[in-house]
Amino acid sequence: MSNTDSFIDEVTEDLRRDRLFGYVRRYGWIAALAVVALVGGAAWTEWQKAQTTAAAQAAGDAVIDASTGEDAAARAAALASITAADPKLAAVLKQLQAVELLDADQRADAVAVLQTIAQDGGLPRVYRDLAALKALTLAPEQDLDSQRLGYEALAQPGAPFRLLAMEQLAYLEAGAGNTEAARDGLQRIVEDAETTASQRQRIADALTALGAVLPADGAK
């Protein structure tokens, strides 16, 4: 390599170095800001995780403390006093509160608590439907049409507790003297591919009680 070529290479390298330093001086703050953002984001994420864990632990401790109440009414009151930032956790606490209210023979209050869960549009459907189903089964004093509408809404295709709602609807019809409608409803549950073995057996017993003639095991 000639001295001229070597000189040109050195000049080119110096120019590249100067250009790089220029970029660093001009845009280095962006890289620094990105580093700060990454570090700060990681720290924020860890802080949030720690806060969530601490809140869950505090709620768990509060539930344990509430379970030591001397009677069901006291336990229900203690559960009602627990504040939960997570809506799902709050819904679970209300479910537990409803159980204690039932044990305290405060059925109307238990139904009211369950209905607040059922009407909370911010919760996933599984929470709302479970609460609505429990509220319906605990409030038999409702008129027949209201109960029927409630169960029919929970028995729609795709609903998480569709088969249980269909079963309760069939029992409702049986209680109203609509035996044929009750048998038809129960038979649809038996024929449903999603029906569990335990529910299928329960339905078979109910059909027998309603006078239905069931096929022998293995019969088509």
Side-chain angles (χ1 to χ4, degrees), residues 26-65:
R26 182 176 298 179
Y27 302 111
W29 65 273
I30 296 177
L33 183 61
V35 171
V36 171
L38 288 173
V39 174
W44 173 256
T45 300
E46 291 302 317
W47 181 82
Q48 283 187 314
K49 288 181 180 178
Q51 291 295 104
T52 301
T53 301
Q57 290 175 343
D61 291 341
V63 171
I64 293 174
D65 291 341

PDB file of all heavy atoms in Angstrom, residues 26-65:
ATOM      1  N   ARG A  26     -24.938  15.153  19.236  1.00  0.00           N
ATOM      2  CA  ARG A  26     -26.238  15.656  18.803  1.00  0.00           C
ATOM      3  C   ARG A  26     -27.399  14.801  19.299  1.00  0.00           C
ATOM      4  O   ARG A  26     -28.439  15.313  19.705  1.00  0.00           O
ATOM      5  CB  ARG A  26     -26.278  15.730  17.281  1.00  0.00           C
ATOM      6  CG  ARG A  26     -27.584  16.291  16.720  1.00  0.00           C
ATOM      7  CD  ARG A  26     -27.524  16.434  15.225  1.00  0.00           C
ATOM      8  NE  ARG A  26     -26.471  17.369  14.813  1.00  0.00           N
ATOM      9  CZ  ARG A  26     -26.199  17.650  13.530  1.00  0.00           C
ATOM     10  NH1 ARG A  26     -26.884  17.056  12.567  1.00  0.00           N
ATOM     11  NH2 ARG A  26     -25.238  18.500  13.222  1.00  0.00           N
ATOM     12  N   TYR A  27     -27.196  13.480  19.255  1.00  0.00           N
ATOM     13  CA  TYR A  27     -28.316  12.589  19.562  1.00  0.00           C
ATOM     14  C   TYR A  27     -28.078  11.704  20.794  1.00  0.00           C
ATOM     15  O   TYR A  27     -28.888  10.825  21.105  1.00  0.00           O
ATOM     16  CB  TYR A  27     -28.612  11.667  18.372  1.00  0.00           C
ATOM     17  CG  TYR A  27     -28.925  12.422  17.111  1.00  0.00           C
ATOM     18  CD1 TYR A  27     -28.034  12.403  16.043  1.00  0.00           C
ATOM     19  CD2 TYR A  27     -30.091  13.163  16.991  1.00  0.00           C
ATOM     20  CE1 TYR A  27     -28.314  13.093  14.870  1.00  0.00           C
ATOM     21  CE2 TYR A  27     -30.375  13.859  15.827  1.00  0.00           C
ATOM     22  CZ  TYR A  27     -29.482  13.829  14.764  1.00  0.00           C
ATOM     23  OH  TYR A  27     -29.771  14.524  13.620  1.00  0.00           O
ATOM     24  N   GLY A  28     -27.006  11.941  21.487  1.00  0.00           N
ATOM     25  CA  GLY A  28     -26.711  11.102  22.649  1.00  0.00           C
ATOM     26  C   GLY A  28     -27.759  11.175  23.733  1.00  0.00           C
ATOM     27  O   GLY A  28     -28.015  10.192  24.437  1.00  0.00           O
ATOM     28  N   TRP A  29     -28.421  12.325  23.841  1.00  0.00           N
ATOM     29  CA  TRP A  29     -29.457  12.464  24.877  1.00  0.00           C
ATOM     30  C   TRP A  29     -30.618  11.506  24.650  1.00  0.00           C
ATOM     31  O   TRP A  29     -31.272  11.068  25.592  1.00  0.00           O
ATOM     32  CB  TRP A  29     -29.968  13.905  24.909  1.00  0.00           C
ATOM     33  CG  TRP A  29     -30.688  14.322  23.657  1.00  0.00           C
ATOM     34  CD1 TRP A  29     -30.142  14.832  22.532  1.00  0.00           C
ATOM     35  CD2 TRP A  29     -32.105  14.240  23.416  1.00  0.00           C
ATOM     36  NE1 TRP A  29     -31.101  15.097  21.593  1.00  0.00           N
ATOM     37  CE2 TRP A  29     -32.321  14.738  22.112  1.00  0.00           C
ATOM     38  CE3 TRP A  29     -33.195  13.797  24.173  1.00  0.00           C
ATOM     39  CZ2 TRP A  29     -33.589  14.801  21.539  1.00  0.00           C
ATOM     40  CZ3 TRP A  29     -34.457  13.867  23.607  1.00  0.00           C
ATOM     41  CH2 TRP A  29     -34.657  14.362  22.312  1.00  0.00           C
ATOM     42  N   ILE A  30     -30.834  11.171  23.362  1.00  0.00           N
ATOM     43  CA  ILE A  30     -31.925  10.227  23.062  1.00  0.00           C
ATOM     44  C   ILE A  30     -31.579   8.847  23.622  1.00  0.00           C
ATOM     45  O   ILE A  30     -32.412   8.171  24.236  1.00  0.00           O
ATOM     46  CB  ILE A  30     -32.178  10.147  21.547  1.00  0.00           C
ATOM     47  CG1 ILE A  30     -32.654  11.508  21.031  1.00  0.00           C
ATOM     48  CG2 ILE A  30     -33.179   9.058  21.229  1.00  0.00           C
ATOM     49  CD1 ILE A  30     -32.870  11.534  19.527  1.00  0.00           C
ATOM     50  N   ALA A  31     -30.337   8.427  23.395  1.00  0.00           N
ATOM     51  CA  ALA A  31     -29.908   7.127  23.927  1.00  0.00           C
ATOM     52  C   ALA A  31     -29.965   7.120  25.446  1.00  0.00           C
ATOM     53  O   ALA A  31     -30.410   6.140  26.066  1.00  0.00           O
ATOM     54  CB  ALA A  31     -28.495   6.812  23.444  1.00  0.00           C
ATOM     55  N   ALA A  32     -29.523   8.237  26.055  1.00  0.00           N
ATOM     56  CA  ALA A  32     -29.562   8.317  27.518  1.00  0.00           C
ATOM     57  C   ALA A  32     -30.994   8.252  28.024  1.00  0.00           C
ATOM     58  O   ALA A  32     -31.295   7.582  29.021  1.00  0.00           O
ATOM     59  CB  ALA A  32     -28.895   9.611  27.983  1.00  0.00           C
ATOM     60  N   LEU A  33     -31.880   8.959  27.323  1.00  0.00           N
ATOM     61  CA  LEU A  33     -33.295   8.944  27.712  1.00  0.00           C
ATOM     62  C   LEU A  33     -33.881   7.544  27.578  1.00  0.00           C
ATOM     63  O   LEU A  33     -34.662   7.096  28.426  1.00  0.00           O
ATOM     64  CB  LEU A  33     -34.076   9.931  26.845  1.00  0.00           C
ATOM     65  CG  LEU A  33     -35.565  10.090  27.177  1.00  0.00           C
ATOM     66  CD1 LEU A  33     -35.741  10.611  28.598  1.00  0.00           C
ATOM     67  CD2 LEU A  33     -36.227  11.043  26.188  1.00  0.00           C
ATOM     68  N   ALA A  34     -33.473   6.833  26.511  1.00  0.00           N
ATOM     69  CA  ALA A  34     -33.968   5.469  26.318  1.00  0.00           C
ATOM     70  C   ALA A  34     -33.511   4.557  27.454  1.00  0.00           C
ATOM     71  O   ALA A  34     -34.282   3.729  27.962  1.00  0.00           O
ATOM     72  CB  ALA A  34     -33.492   4.924  24.976  1.00  0.00           C
ATOM     73  N   VAL A  35     -32.247   4.726  27.848  1.00  0.00           N
ATOM     74  CA  VAL A  35     -31.730   3.915  28.958  1.00  0.00           C
ATOM     75  C   VAL A  35     -32.486   4.212  30.243  1.00  0.00           C
ATOM     76  O   VAL A  35     -32.893   3.304  30.988  1.00  0.00           O
ATOM     77  CB  VAL A  35     -30.222   4.165  29.160  1.00  0.00           C
ATOM     78  CG1 VAL A  35     -29.732   3.492  30.442  1.00  0.00           C
ATOM     79  CG2 VAL A  35     -29.436   3.652  27.962  1.00  0.00           C
ATOM     80  N   VAL A  36     -32.700   5.507  30.510  1.00  0.00           N
ATOM     81  CA  VAL A  36     -33.452   5.893  31.713  1.00  0.00           C
ATOM     82  C   VAL A  36     -34.862   5.326  31.670  1.00  0.00           C
ATOM     83  O   VAL A  36     -35.387   4.829  32.684  1.00  0.00           O
ATOM     84  CB  VAL A  36     -33.485   7.430  31.850  1.00  0.00           C
ATOM     85  CG1 VAL A  36     -34.445   7.842  32.949  1.00  0.00           C
ATOM     86  CG2 VAL A  36     -32.096   7.964  32.138  1.00  0.00           C
ATOM     87  N   ALA A  37     -35.485   5.386  30.477  1.00  0.00           N
ATOM     88  CA  ALA A  37     -36.854   4.874  30.342  1.00  0.00           C
ATOM     89  C   ALA A  37     -36.901   3.374  30.597  1.00  0.00           C
ATOM     90  O   ALA A  37     -37.811   2.869  31.274  1.00  0.00           O
ATOM     91  CB  ALA A  37     -37.393   5.196  28.950  1.00  0.00           C
ATOM     92  N   LEU A  38     -35.912   2.640  30.049  1.00  0.00           N
ATOM     93  CA  LEU A  38     -35.884   1.190  30.257  1.00  0.00           C
ATOM     94  C   LEU A  38     -35.689   0.843  31.720  1.00  0.00           C
ATOM     95  O   LEU A  38     -36.386  -0.021  32.277  1.00  0.00           O
ATOM     96  CB  LEU A  38     -34.766   0.570  29.409  1.00  0.00           C
ATOM     97  CG  LEU A  38     -35.000   0.520  27.900  1.00  0.00           C
ATOM     98  CD1 LEU A  38     -33.744   0.054  27.181  1.00  0.00           C
ATOM     99  CD2 LEU A  38     -36.171  -0.407  27.580  1.00  0.00           C
ATOM    100  N   VAL A  39     -34.727   1.522  32.345  1.00  0.00           N
ATOM    101  CA  VAL A  39     -34.463   1.254  33.758  1.00  0.00           C
ATOM    102  C   VAL A  39     -35.660   1.655  34.615  1.00  0.00           C
ATOM    103  O   VAL A  39     -36.099   0.927  35.509  1.00  0.00           O
ATOM    104  CB  VAL A  39     -33.196   2.006  34.225  1.00  0.00           C
ATOM    105  CG1 VAL A  39     -33.012   1.856  35.730  1.00  0.00           C
ATOM    106  CG2 VAL A  39     -31.978   1.471  33.493  1.00  0.00           C
ATOM    107  N   GLY A  40     -36.216   2.836  34.296  1.00  0.00           N
ATOM    108  CA  GLY A  40     -37.384   3.295  35.051  1.00  0.00           C
ATOM    109  C   GLY A  40     -38.593   2.393  34.858  1.00  0.00           C
ATOM    110  O   GLY A  40     -39.327   2.108  35.806  1.00  0.00           O
ATOM    111  N   GLY A  41     -38.789   1.913  33.603  1.00  0.00           N
ATOM    112  CA  GLY A  41     -39.908   1.009  33.336  1.00  0.00           C
ATOM    113  C   GLY A  41     -39.782  -0.294  34.086  1.00  0.00           C
ATOM    114  O   GLY A  41     -40.744  -0.819  34.645  1.00  0.00           O
ATOM    115  N   ALA A  42     -38.560  -0.835  34.117  1.00  0.00           N
ATOM    116  CA  ALA A  42     -38.328  -2.085  34.858  1.00  0.00           C
ATOM    117  C   ALA A  42     -38.582  -1.879  36.345  1.00  0.00           C
ATOM    118  O   ALA A  42     -39.199  -2.726  37.018  1.00  0.00           O
ATOM    119  CB  ALA A  42     -36.907  -2.573  34.618  1.00  0.00           C
ATOM    120  N   ALA A  43     -38.111  -0.733  36.854  1.00  0.00           N
ATOM    121  CA  ALA A  43     -38.319  -0.449  38.282  1.00  0.00           C
ATOM    122  C   ALA A  43     -39.807  -0.280  38.588  1.00  0.00           C
ATOM    123  O   ALA A  43     -40.299  -0.762  39.617  1.00  0.00           O
ATOM    124  CB  ALA A  43     -37.553   0.820  38.669  1.00  0.00           C
ATOM    125  N   TRP A  44     -40.534   0.395  37.687  1.00  0.00           N
ATOM    126  CA  TRP A  44     -41.973   0.586  37.882  1.00  0.00           C
ATOM    127  C   TRP A  44     -42.720  -0.741  37.858  1.00  0.00           C
ATOM    128  O   TRP A  44     -43.621  -0.986  38.670  1.00  0.00           O
ATOM    129  CB  TRP A  44     -42.507   1.522  36.808  1.00  0.00           C
ATOM    130  CG  TRP A  44     -43.995   1.667  36.804  1.00  0.00           C
ATOM    131  CD1 TRP A  44     -44.881   1.099  35.931  1.00  0.00           C
ATOM    132  CD2 TRP A  44     -44.800   2.419  37.731  1.00  0.00           C
ATOM    133  NE1 TRP A  44     -46.168   1.445  36.246  1.00  0.00           N
ATOM    134  CE2 TRP A  44     -46.154   2.247  37.343  1.00  0.00           C
ATOM    135  CE3 TRP A  44     -44.502   3.199  38.835  1.00  0.00           C
ATOM    136  CZ2 TRP A  44     -47.194   2.847  38.032  1.00  0.00           C
ATOM    137  CZ3 TRP A  44     -45.553   3.798  39.525  1.00  0.00           C
ATOM    138  CH2 TRP A  44     -46.868   3.621  39.120  1.00  0.00           C
ATOM    139  N   THR A  45     -42.320  -1.608  36.918  1.00  0.00           N
ATOM    140  CA  THR A  45     -42.956  -2.928  36.833  1.00  0.00           C
ATOM    141  C   THR A  45     -42.734  -3.721  38.115  1.00  0.00           C
ATOM    142  O   THR A  45     -43.659  -4.344  38.651  1.00  0.00           O
ATOM    143  CB  THR A  45     -42.407  -3.705  35.626  1.00  0.00           C
ATOM    144  OG1 THR A  45     -42.689  -2.980  34.424  1.00  0.00           O
ATOM    145  CG2 THR A  45     -43.043  -5.090  35.534  1.00  0.00           C
ATOM    146  N   GLU A  46     -41.507  -3.717  38.610  1.00  0.00           N
ATOM    147  CA  GLU A  46     -41.209  -4.434  39.841  1.00  0.00           C
ATOM    148  C   GLU A  46     -41.971  -3.848  41.025  1.00  0.00           C
ATOM    149  O   GLU A  46     -42.449  -4.572  41.899  1.00  0.00           O
ATOM    150  CB  GLU A  46     -39.707  -4.405  40.119  1.00  0.00           C
ATOM    151  CG  GLU A  46     -38.882  -5.230  39.137  1.00  0.00           C
ATOM    152  CD  GLU A  46     -39.308  -6.689  39.117  1.00  0.00           C
ATOM    153  OE1 GLU A  46     -39.543  -7.251  40.207  1.00  0.00           O
ATOM    154  OE2 GLU A  46     -39.417  -7.257  38.025  1.00  0.00           O
ATOM    155  N   TRP A  47     -42.094  -2.525  41.047  1.00  0.00           N
ATOM    156  CA  TRP A  47     -42.834  -1.868  42.136  1.00  0.00           C
ATOM    157  C   TRP A  47     -44.304  -2.260  42.083  1.00  0.00           C
ATOM    158  O   TRP A  47     -44.917  -2.552  43.122  1.00  0.00           O
ATOM    159  CB  TRP A  47     -42.688  -0.358  42.021  1.00  0.00           C
ATOM    160  CG  TRP A  47     -43.398   0.394  43.115  1.00  0.00           C
ATOM    161  CD1 TRP A  47     -42.955   0.650  44.377  1.00  0.00           C
ATOM    162  CD2 TRP A  47     -44.709   0.969  43.038  1.00  0.00           C
ATOM    163  NE1 TRP A  47     -43.887   1.342  45.102  1.00  0.00           N
ATOM    164  CE2 TRP A  47     -44.980   1.560  44.304  1.00  0.00           C
ATOM    165  CE3 TRP A  47     -45.677   1.053  42.028  1.00  0.00           C
ATOM    166  CZ2 TRP A  47     -46.176   2.209  44.570  1.00  0.00           C
ATOM    167  CZ3 TRP A  47     -46.877   1.713  42.299  1.00  0.00           C
ATOM    168  CH2 TRP A  47     -47.108   2.288  43.559  1.00  0.00           C
ATOM    169  N   GLN A  48     -44.863  -2.280  40.869  1.00  0.00           N
ATOM    170  CA  GLN A  48     -46.257  -2.681  40.727  1.00  0.00           C
ATOM    171  C   GLN A  48     -46.471  -4.121  41.175  1.00  0.00           C
ATOM    172  O   GLN A  48     -47.464  -4.441  41.838  1.00  0.00           O
ATOM    173  CB  GLN A  48     -46.716  -2.521  39.273  1.00  0.00           C
ATOM    174  CG  GLN A  48     -47.017  -1.085  38.860  1.00  0.00           C
ATOM    175  CD  GLN A  48     -47.629  -1.007  37.492  1.00  0.00           C
ATOM    176  OE1 GLN A  48     -47.162  -1.650  36.556  1.00  0.00           O
ATOM    177  NE2 GLN A  48     -48.681  -0.232  37.349  1.00  0.00           N
ATOM    178  N   LYS A  49     -45.532  -5.003  40.792  1.00  0.00           N
ATOM    179  CA  LYS A  49     -45.644  -6.405  41.212  1.00  0.00           C
ATOM    180  C   LYS A  49     -45.597  -6.513  42.735  1.00  0.00           C
ATOM    181  O   LYS A  49     -46.363  -7.275  43.337  1.00  0.00           O
ATOM    182  CB  LYS A  49     -44.504  -7.228  40.598  1.00  0.00           C
ATOM    183  CG  LYS A  49     -44.633  -7.463  39.104  1.00  0.00           C
ATOM    184  CD  LYS A  49     -43.472  -8.298  38.585  1.00  0.00           C
ATOM    185  CE  LYS A  49     -43.591  -8.550  37.102  1.00  0.00           C
ATOM    186  NZ  LYS A  49     -42.434  -9.336  36.569  1.00  0.00           N
ATOM    187  N   ALA A  50     -44.703  -5.740  43.328  1.00  0.00           N
ATOM    188  CA  ALA A  50     -44.588  -5.775  44.792  1.00  0.00           C
ATOM    189  C   ALA A  50     -45.859  -5.253  45.442  1.00  0.00           C
ATOM    190  O   ALA A  50     -46.331  -5.808  46.441  1.00  0.00           O
ATOM    191  CB  ALA A  50     -43.387  -4.937  45.231  1.00  0.00           C
ATOM    192  N   GLN A  51     -46.444  -4.187  44.862  1.00  0.00           N
ATOM    193  CA  GLN A  51     -47.683  -3.640  45.400  1.00  0.00           C
ATOM    194  C   GLN A  51     -48.826  -4.633  45.275  1.00  0.00           C
ATOM    195  O   GLN A  51     -49.634  -4.791  46.199  1.00  0.00           O
ATOM    196  CB  GLN A  51     -48.035  -2.343  44.673  1.00  0.00           C
ATOM    197  CG  GLN A  51     -47.109  -1.174  44.964  1.00  0.00           C
ATOM    198  CD  GLN A  51     -47.200  -0.733  46.419  1.00  0.00           C
ATOM    199  OE1 GLN A  51     -46.320  -1.025  47.216  1.00  0.00           O
ATOM    200  NE2 GLN A  51     -48.258  -0.036  46.760  1.00  0.00           N
ATOM    201  N   THR A  52     -48.914  -5.293  44.113  1.00  0.00           N
ATOM    202  CA  THR A  52     -49.967  -6.288  43.900  1.00  0.00           C
ATOM    203  C   THR A  52     -49.836  -7.444  44.879  1.00  0.00           C
ATOM    204  O   THR A  52     -50.821  -7.910  45.466  1.00  0.00           O
ATOM    205  CB  THR A  52     -49.917  -6.821  42.455  1.00  0.00           C
ATOM    206  OG1 THR A  52     -50.090  -5.728  41.544  1.00  0.00           O
ATOM    207  CG2 THR A  52     -51.004  -7.850  42.212  1.00  0.00           C
ATOM    208  N   THR A  53     -48.599  -7.921  45.063  1.00  0.00           N
ATOM    209  CA  THR A  53     -48.355  -9.021  46.004  1.00  0.00           C
ATOM    210  C   THR A  53     -48.713  -8.611  47.428  1.00  0.00           C
ATOM    211  O   THR A  53     -49.354  -9.378  48.160  1.00  0.00           O
ATOM    212  CB  THR A  53     -46.883  -9.452  45.937  1.00  0.00           C
ATOM    213  OG1 THR A  53     -46.563  -9.874  44.608  1.00  0.00           O
ATOM    214  CG2 THR A  53     -46.611 -10.586  46.906  1.00  0.00           C
ATOM    215  N   ALA A  54     -48.311  -7.405  47.800  1.00  0.00           N
ATOM    216  CA  ALA A  54     -48.610  -6.921  49.149  1.00  0.00           C
ATOM    217  C   ALA A  54     -50.105  -6.774  49.361  1.00  0.00           C
ATOM    218  O   ALA A  54     -50.639  -7.133  50.425  1.00  0.00           O
ATOM    219  CB  ALA A  54     -47.911  -5.580  49.385  1.00  0.00           C
ATOM    220  N   ALA A  55     -50.809  -6.277  48.336  1.00  0.00           N
ATOM    221  CA  ALA A  55     -52.267  -6.113  48.446  1.00  0.00           C
ATOM    222  C   ALA A  55     -52.957  -7.462  48.572  1.00  0.00           C
ATOM    223  O   ALA A  55     -53.901  -7.625  49.366  1.00  0.00           O
ATOM    224  CB  ALA A  55     -52.803  -5.358  47.229  1.00  0.00           C
ATOM    225  N   ALA A  56     -52.489  -8.449  47.784  1.00  0.00           N
ATOM    226  CA  ALA A  56     -53.080  -9.793  47.861  1.00  0.00           C
ATOM    227  C   ALA A  56     -52.832 -10.418  49.233  1.00  0.00           C
ATOM    228  O   ALA A  56     -53.722 -11.054  49.810  1.00  0.00           O
ATOM    229  CB  ALA A  56     -52.500 -10.674  46.760  1.00  0.00           C
ATOM    230  N   GLN A  57     -51.629 -10.228  49.748  1.00  0.00           N
ATOM    231  CA  GLN A  57     -51.316 -10.769  51.071  1.00  0.00           C
ATOM    232  C   GLN A  57     -52.160 -10.097  52.155  1.00  0.00           C
ATOM    233  O   GLN A  57     -52.656 -10.766  53.071  1.00  0.00           O
ATOM    234  CB  GLN A  57     -49.828 -10.583  51.368  1.00  0.00           C
ATOM    235  CG  GLN A  57     -48.919 -11.471  50.524  1.00  0.00           C
ATOM    236  CD  GLN A  57     -47.452 -11.187  50.754  1.00  0.00           C
ATOM    237  OE1 GLN A  57     -47.081 -10.142  51.292  1.00  0.00           O
ATOM    238  NE2 GLN A  57     -46.594 -12.115  50.345  1.00  0.00           N
ATOM    239  N   ALA A  58     -52.336  -8.790  52.028  1.00  0.00           N
ATOM    240  CA  ALA A  58     -53.150  -8.063  53.006  1.00  0.00           C
ATOM    241  C   ALA A  58     -54.600  -8.526  52.952  1.00  0.00           C
ATOM    242  O   ALA A  58     -55.247  -8.713  53.998  1.00  0.00           O
ATOM    243  CB  ALA A  58     -53.063  -6.564  52.739  1.00  0.00           C
ATOM    244  N   ALA A  59     -55.113  -8.721  51.726  1.00  0.00           N
ATOM    245  CA  ALA A  59     -56.488  -9.197  51.592  1.00  0.00           C
ATOM    246  C   ALA A  59     -56.638 -10.607  52.161  1.00  0.00           C
ATOM    247  O   ALA A  59     -57.630 -10.920  52.833  1.00  0.00           O
ATOM    248  CB  ALA A  59     -56.901  -9.185  50.122  1.00  0.00           C
ATOM    249  N   GLY A  60     -55.631 -11.452  51.906  1.00  0.00           N
ATOM    250  CA  GLY A  60     -55.672 -12.807  52.453  1.00  0.00           C
ATOM    251  C   GLY A  60     -55.663 -12.806  53.972  1.00  0.00           C
ATOM    252  O   GLY A  60     -56.420 -13.554  54.610  1.00  0.00           O
ATOM    253  N   ASP A  61     -54.832 -11.956  54.546  1.00  0.00           N
ATOM    254  CA  ASP A  61     -54.790 -11.848  56.009  1.00  0.00           C
ATOM    255  C   ASP A  61     -56.131 -11.349  56.554  1.00  0.00           C
ATOM    256  O   ASP A  61     -56.605 -11.815  57.601  1.00  0.00           O
ATOM    257  CB  ASP A  61     -53.675 -10.889  56.436  1.00  0.00           C
ATOM    258  CG  ASP A  61     -52.286 -11.453  56.155  1.00  0.00           C
ATOM    259  OD1 ASP A  61     -52.174 -12.683  55.974  1.00  0.00           O
ATOM    260  OD2 ASP A  61     -51.322 -10.663  56.101  1.00  0.00           O
ATOM    261  N   ALA A  62     -56.738 -10.401  55.832  1.00  0.00           N
ATOM    262  CA  ALA A  62     -58.021  -9.861  56.275  1.00  0.00           C
ATOM    263  C   ALA A  62     -59.114 -10.924  56.227  1.00  0.00           C
ATOM    264  O   ALA A  62     -59.982 -10.991  57.111  1.00  0.00           O
ATOM    265  CB  ALA A  62     -58.412  -8.656  55.416  1.00  0.00           C
ATOM    266  N   VAL A  63     -59.074 -11.758  55.183  1.00  0.00           N
ATOM    267  CA  VAL A  63     -60.068 -12.838  55.071  1.00  0.00           C
ATOM    268  C   VAL A  63     -59.892 -13.836  56.209  1.00  0.00           C
ATOM    269  O   VAL A  63     -60.875 -14.305  56.803  1.00  0.00           O
ATOM    270  CB  VAL A  63     -59.942 -13.545  53.710  1.00  0.00           C
ATOM    271  CG1 VAL A  63     -60.805 -14.808  53.672  1.00  0.00           C
ATOM    272  CG2 VAL A  63     -60.364 -12.604  52.585  1.00  0.00           C
ATOM    273  N   ILE A  64     -58.633 -14.166  56.520  1.00  0.00           N
ATOM    274  CA  ILE A  64     -58.370 -15.087  57.638  1.00  0.00           C
ATOM    275  C   ILE A  64     -58.883 -14.496  58.945  1.00  0.00           C
ATOM    276  O   ILE A  64     -59.510 -15.182  59.761  1.00  0.00           O
ATOM    277  CB  ILE A  64     -56.866 -15.396  57.721  1.00  0.00           C
ATOM    278  CG1 ILE A  64     -56.425 -16.193  56.493  1.00  0.00           C
ATOM    279  CG2 ILE A  64     -56.552 -16.161  58.999  1.00  0.00           C
ATOM    280  CD1 ILE A  64     -54.936 -16.424  56.407  1.00  0.00           C
ATOM    281  N   ASP A  65     -58.617 -13.212  59.141  1.00  0.00           N
ATOM    282  CA  ASP A  65     -59.103 -12.549  60.355  1.00  0.00           C
ATOM    283  C   ASP A  65     -60.631 -12.557  60.408  1.00  0.00           C
ATOM    284  O   ASP A  65     -61.231 -12.779  61.468  1.00  0.00           O
ATOM    285  CB  ASP A  65     -58.593 -11.108  60.412  1.00  0.00           C
ATOM    286  CG  ASP A  65     -57.088 -11.031  60.656  1.00  0.00           C
ATOM    287  OD1 ASP A  65     -56.527 -12.032  61.128  1.00  0.00           O
ATOM    288  OD2 ASP A  65     -56.493  -9.979  60.358  1.00  0.00           O
TER     289      ASP A  65
END
